[in-house]
Amino acid sequence: MNESLQDQIQFLVEIDKLKTIERRTRIIHGERRENDAEHSWHLAMMALVLKSHASKDVDILKVIKMLLVHDLVEIDAGDTFAYDTVGYTDKYDREIKAAHRLFGMLPEAQAEELLNLWLEFEAKETDEAQFASSLDRLQPLIHNYQNEGDTWQKYNITSEQVLNRNREIANASDTLWTYAQQIIQHAVDQGILTKS
């Protein structure tokens, strides 16, 4: 086996660990918590299905690539809960270290490509990164709403916190932001999300 292939296989074996990283959000059709691999797959499907709702023309393949790599760093850094203000203080430092280790396993050109995709996603400056990030916000919102506010209630999350956390959806899609606001309002009206 040539060295590039060996490095690529080793990387693919290593990222299988993403299936073991649990998130706080429950899957919609069951009692167990979602893992990061399932989350990334779901986001990639959302990008494919919801592309027409992006406010700007985006390179959907690039968006999907970002969504598939954006949480790989959590293999080393762990999942930081969306509403954990303390966890966010060193989140980037933990994740950039993990990004260099994980993507560094690959041949140089691929390592650079994946690291750059991850950095672009984190910076949220390009249309593709903003659309990818908006989906990353929308997906757990949908899950929580479908699960009758499971995570929101467990951690005493208020509607104001949810609105503030998800406001950036508007940067990529007016339609999806309107939908997100409707979900939040319905959750408040149904008593599954506490109004702040």
Side-chain angles (χ1 to χ4, degrees):
M1 180 178 342
N2 72 42
E3 188 176 339
S4 287
L5 178 58
Q6 187 172 347
D7 290 346
Q8 290 166 327
I9 297 297
Q10 185 178 351
F11 172 78
L12 293 171
V13 168
E14 183 70 7
I15 67 168
D16 190 68
K17 292 177 181 175
L18 198 64
K19 298 172 186 174
T20 68
I21 308 299
E22 284 190 339
R23 297 170 49 80
R24 303 287 171 102
T25 308
R26 271 190 14 230
I27 61 171
I28 294 173
H29 302 287
E31 294 300 315
R32 71 175 176 80
R33 289 168 45 186
E34 174 186 49
N35 68 51
D36 267 350
E38 293 166 328
H39 171 68
S40 297
W41 163 82
H42 208 191
L43 290 175
M45 287 302 302
M46 288 176 71
L48 196 59
V49 171
L50 299 176
K51 178 191 182 295
S52 65
H53 300 290
S55 295
K56 298 178 183 160
D57 188 33
V58 294
D59 176 348
I60 200 63
L61 178 58
K62 188 174 189 181
V63 171
I64 290 171
K65 286 180 180 181
M66 280 185 206
L67 292 171
L68 290 173
V69 303
H70 84 288
D71 274 344
L72 289 176
V73 296
E74 294 184 4
I75 290 169
D76 290 355
D79 177 54
T80 304
F81 181 45
Y83 300 97
D84 179 1
T85 54
V86 174
Y88 267 81
T89 58
D90 69 344
K91 178 181 184 284
Y92 184 79
D93 294 336
R94 288 182 284 119
E95 290 186 350
I96 190 70
K97 181 179 176 185
H100 284 291
R101 183 189 81 79
L102 288 163
F103 302 137
M105 297 174 72
L106 288 164
E108 189 175 340
Q110 280 187 318
E112 185 177 342
E113 177 191 9
L114 296 190
L115 178 60
N116 286 337
L117 284 166
W118 184 81
L119 289 168
E120 184 176 341
F121 177 88
E122 289 297 307
K124 299 177 187 162
E125 293 173 352
T126 65
D127 295 339
E128 286 77 13
Q130 288 176 359
F131 188 59
S133 182
S134 73
L135 298 175
D136 191 36
R137 300 295 169 111
L138 182 61
Q139 191 257 7
L141 181 66
I142 293 170
H143 274 241
N144 274 296
Y145 180 69
Q146 292 293 321
N147 287 325
E148 299 176 354
D150 178 69
T151 306
W152 296 330
Q153 291 177 4
K154 190 178 295 181
Y155 297 98
N156 298 311
I157 305 302
T158 66
S159 61
E160 182 179 350
Q161 288 174 288
V162 176
L163 278 166
N164 289 336
R165 167 79 181 158
N166 292 289
R167 204 171 296 283
E168 75 177 50
I169 293 171
N171 296 337
S173 173
D174 293 334
T175 305
L176 296 180
W177 176 231
T178 298
Y179 176 68
Q181 291 175 86
Q182 289 170 350
I183 287 177
I184 295 165
Q185 187 58 54
H186 288 165
V188 169
D189 293 345
Q190 294 171 6
I192 62 175
L193 181 59
T194 306
K195 188 165 177 67
S196 44

